[in-house]
Short mmCIF file of all heavy atoms in Angstrom, two decimals:
data_model
loop_
_atom_site.label_atom_id
_atom_site.label_comp_id
_atom_site.label_asym_id
_atom_site.label_seq_id
_atom_site.Cartn_x
_atom_site.Cartn_y
_atom_site.Cartn_z
N GLU A 193 61.04 153.81 -4.86
CA GLU A 193 61.25 152.64 -5.38
C GLU A 193 62.59 152.63 -6.24
O GLU A 193 63.34 151.78 -6.28
CB GLU A 193 60.08 152.16 -6.20
CG GLU A 193 58.88 151.68 -5.32
CD GLU A 193 57.64 151.43 -6.14
OE1 GLU A 193 57.52 152.05 -7.27
OE2 GLU A 193 56.78 150.69 -5.66
N GLN A 194 62.59 153.65 -7.09
CA GLN A 194 63.74 153.85 -7.87
C GLN A 194 65.04 153.95 -7.15
O GLN A 194 66.04 153.20 -7.41
CB GLN A 194 63.62 155.04 -8.83
CG GLN A 194 64.62 155.12 -9.93
CD GLN A 194 64.53 153.71 -10.63
OE1 GLN A 194 63.72 153.20 -11.35
NE2 GLN A 194 65.74 153.02 -10.76
N ARG A 195 65.02 154.82 -6.09
CA ARG A 195 66.28 154.78 -5.24
C ARG A 195 66.61 153.51 -4.56
O ARG A 195 67.69 153.13 -4.58
CB ARG A 195 65.93 155.84 -4.10
CG ARG A 195 67.16 156.14 -3.11
CD ARG A 195 66.89 157.33 -2.17
NE ARG A 195 66.81 158.55 -2.75
CZ ARG A 195 66.85 159.67 -2.05
NH1 ARG A 195 66.73 159.58 -0.74
NH2 ARG A 195 66.90 160.81 -2.71
N ILE A 196 65.54 152.85 -4.13
CA ILE A 196 65.78 151.46 -3.49
C ILE A 196 66.33 150.54 -4.52
O ILE A 196 67.33 149.74 -4.38
CB ILE A 196 64.44 150.84 -2.96
CG1 ILE A 196 64.07 151.75 -1.74
CG2 ILE A 196 64.64 149.33 -2.69
CD1 ILE A 196 64.48 151.25 -0.34
N HIS A 197 65.74 150.47 -5.82
CA HIS A 197 66.25 149.50 -6.83
C HIS A 197 67.73 149.88 -7.12
O HIS A 197 68.51 148.89 -7.44
CB HIS A 197 65.40 149.64 -8.02
CG HIS A 197 63.96 149.03 -7.81
ND1 HIS A 197 63.72 148.17 -6.91
CD2 HIS A 197 62.81 149.29 -8.38
CE1 HIS A 197 62.42 147.89 -6.90
NE2 HIS A 197 61.74 148.60 -7.81
N ASN A 198 68.15 151.14 -7.24
CA ASN A 198 69.49 151.45 -7.55
C ASN A 198 70.35 150.83 -6.51
O ASN A 198 71.46 150.39 -6.79
CB ASN A 198 69.76 153.00 -7.66
CG ASN A 198 68.97 153.63 -8.94
OD1 ASN A 198 68.57 152.93 -9.79
ND2 ASN A 198 68.66 154.83 -8.83
N VAL A 199 70.02 150.99 -5.23
CA VAL A 199 70.80 150.39 -4.15
C VAL A 199 70.81 148.85 -4.27
O VAL A 199 71.93 148.30 -4.23
CB VAL A 199 70.26 150.78 -2.78
CG1 VAL A 199 70.98 150.10 -1.65
CG2 VAL A 199 70.49 152.30 -2.62
N GLU A 200 69.67 148.26 -4.49
CA GLU A 200 69.50 146.75 -4.71
C GLU A 200 70.51 146.32 -5.62
O GLU A 200 71.26 145.35 -5.49
CB GLU A 200 68.22 146.34 -5.09
CG GLU A 200 67.05 146.41 -4.09
CD GLU A 200 65.70 146.14 -4.65
OE1 GLU A 200 65.45 146.28 -5.91
OE2 GLU A 200 64.96 145.74 -3.75
N HIS A 201 70.64 147.05 -6.91
CA HIS A 201 71.38 146.43 -7.96
C HIS A 201 72.87 146.42 -7.60
O HIS A 201 73.68 145.62 -8.17
CB HIS A 201 71.11 147.33 -9.29
CG HIS A 201 69.78 147.29 -9.61
ND1 HIS A 201 69.13 148.17 -10.53
CD2 HIS A 201 68.72 146.31 -9.34
CE1 HIS A 201 67.85 147.90 -10.81
NE2 HIS A 201 67.57 146.76 -10.00
N ARG A 202 73.27 147.30 -6.77
CA ARG A 202 74.63 147.40 -6.31
C ARG A 202 74.85 146.34 -5.22
O ARG A 202 75.88 145.59 -5.21
CB ARG A 202 74.93 148.76 -5.72
CG ARG A 202 76.39 149.07 -5.42
CD ARG A 202 76.83 150.43 -5.26
NE ARG A 202 75.57 151.26 -4.81
CZ ARG A 202 75.28 151.39 -3.43
NH1 ARG A 202 76.02 150.71 -2.52
NH2 ARG A 202 74.42 152.27 -3.02
N LEU A 203 73.94 146.14 -4.26
CA LEU A 203 74.08 145.42 -3.10
C LEU A 203 73.95 143.95 -3.36
O LEU A 203 74.71 143.09 -2.86
CB LEU A 203 73.04 145.75 -1.97
CG LEU A 203 73.72 146.44 -0.75
CD1 LEU A 203 74.60 147.66 -1.02
CD2 LEU A 203 72.56 146.84 0.29
N ILE A 204 73.20 143.60 -4.48
CA ILE A 204 73.08 142.18 -4.74
C ILE A 204 74.38 141.63 -5.18
O ILE A 204 74.80 140.57 -4.99
CB ILE A 204 71.92 141.87 -5.73
CG1 ILE A 204 71.56 140.45 -5.74
CG2 ILE A 204 72.22 142.34 -7.07
CD1 ILE A 204 70.16 140.11 -6.08
N VAL A 205 75.18 142.40 -5.94
CA VAL A 205 76.48 142.00 -6.57
C VAL A 205 77.49 141.94 -5.24
O VAL A 205 78.20 140.95 -5.16
CB VAL A 205 76.92 143.03 -7.65
CG1 VAL A 205 78.39 142.63 -8.00
CG2 VAL A 205 75.96 142.98 -8.70
N GLU A 206 77.35 143.05 -4.53
CA GLU A 206 78.32 143.01 -3.35
C GLU A 206 77.97 141.80 -2.45
O GLU A 206 78.89 141.19 -1.86
CB GLU A 206 78.20 144.35 -2.64
CG GLU A 206 79.13 144.63 -1.44
CD GLU A 206 79.04 145.85 -0.69
OE1 GLU A 206 78.33 146.75 -1.20
OE2 GLU A 206 79.27 145.94 0.52
N GLY A 207 76.82 141.59 -2.13
CA GLY A 207 76.47 140.53 -1.19
C GLY A 207 76.73 139.25 -1.82
O GLY A 207 77.18 138.40 -0.96
N THR A 208 76.55 138.97 -3.11
CA THR A 208 76.86 137.80 -3.61
C THR A 208 78.40 137.42 -3.61
O THR A 208 78.84 136.42 -3.19
CB THR A 208 76.24 137.73 -5.14
OG1 THR A 208 75.09 137.87 -5.27
CG2 THR A 208 76.84 136.38 -5.86
N GLY A 209 79.08 138.55 -3.84
CA GLY A 209 80.65 138.42 -3.72
C GLY A 209 81.04 138.07 -2.45
O GLY A 209 81.93 137.24 -2.18
N LYS A 210 80.40 138.72 -1.32
CA LYS A 210 80.72 138.36 0.05
C LYS A 210 80.48 136.93 0.44
O LYS A 210 81.17 136.24 1.08
CB LYS A 210 80.09 139.38 1.04
CG LYS A 210 80.67 140.78 0.92
CD LYS A 210 80.24 141.65 2.14
CE LYS A 210 80.97 142.96 2.05
NZ LYS A 210 80.42 143.85 3.19
N ALA A 211 79.25 136.47 -0.08
CA ALA A 211 78.80 135.09 0.26
C ALA A 211 79.88 134.04 -0.46
O ALA A 211 80.14 133.05 0.11
CB ALA A 211 77.41 134.80 -0.23
N LEU A 212 80.29 134.41 -1.57
CA LEU A 212 81.25 133.55 -2.28
C LEU A 212 82.58 133.58 -1.69
O LEU A 212 83.24 132.56 -1.51
CB LEU A 212 81.36 133.89 -3.80
CG LEU A 212 80.13 133.73 -4.64
CD1 LEU A 212 80.36 134.29 -5.99
CD2 LEU A 212 79.80 132.23 -4.70
N ALA A 213 82.95 134.72 -1.05
CA ALA A 213 84.16 134.87 -0.29
C ALA A 213 84.15 134.01 0.92
O ALA A 213 85.15 133.28 1.29
CB ALA A 213 84.51 136.28 0.00
N GLU A 214 82.97 133.91 1.50
CA GLU A 214 82.84 133.09 2.74
C GLU A 214 82.93 131.54 2.33
O GLU A 214 83.42 130.69 2.99
CB GLU A 214 81.41 133.38 3.45
CG GLU A 214 81.43 134.74 4.08
CD GLU A 214 80.23 134.93 5.11
OE1 GLU A 214 79.79 133.79 5.58
OE2 GLU A 214 80.00 136.01 5.37
N ILE A 215 82.31 131.14 1.20
CA ILE A 215 82.42 129.84 0.76
C ILE A 215 83.93 129.45 0.43
O ILE A 215 84.38 128.45 0.87
CB ILE A 215 81.61 129.60 -0.61
CG1 ILE A 215 80.18 129.77 -0.20
CG2 ILE A 215 81.88 128.41 -1.21
CD1 ILE A 215 79.16 129.82 -1.48
N GLU A 216 84.72 130.39 -0.17
CA GLU A 216 86.00 130.24 -0.54
C GLU A 216 86.72 129.99 0.82
O GLU A 216 87.66 129.20 0.86
CB GLU A 216 86.53 131.56 -1.17
CG GLU A 216 88.12 131.50 -1.62
CD GLU A 216 88.33 130.43 -2.64
OE1 GLU A 216 87.46 130.01 -3.44
OE2 GLU A 216 89.47 130.00 -2.78
N GLY A 217 86.53 130.79 1.74
CA GLY A 217 87.19 130.73 3.05
C GLY A 217 86.97 129.31 3.69
O GLY A 217 87.88 128.71 4.23
N GLN A 218 85.75 128.81 3.47
CA GLN A 218 85.44 127.55 4.05
C GLN A 218 86.14 126.39 3.38
O GLN A 218 86.54 125.34 3.83
CB GLN A 218 83.92 127.23 4.10
CG GLN A 218 83.19 128.02 5.16
CD GLN A 218 81.80 128.26 4.80
OE1 GLN A 218 81.18 127.51 3.84
NE2 GLN A 218 81.05 129.19 5.57
#
Side-chain angles (χ1 to χ4, degrees):
E193 283 172 340
Q194 192 50 61
R195 179 175 288 189
I196 292 267
H197 293 333
N198 291 340
V199 174
E200 287 176 333
H201 299 160
R202 183 164 36 80
L203 248 52
I204 195 155
V205 172
E206 183 183 342
T208 299
K210 287 189 173 181
L212 292 175
E214 288 192 23
I215 292 169
E216 180 69 20
Q218 287 158 11

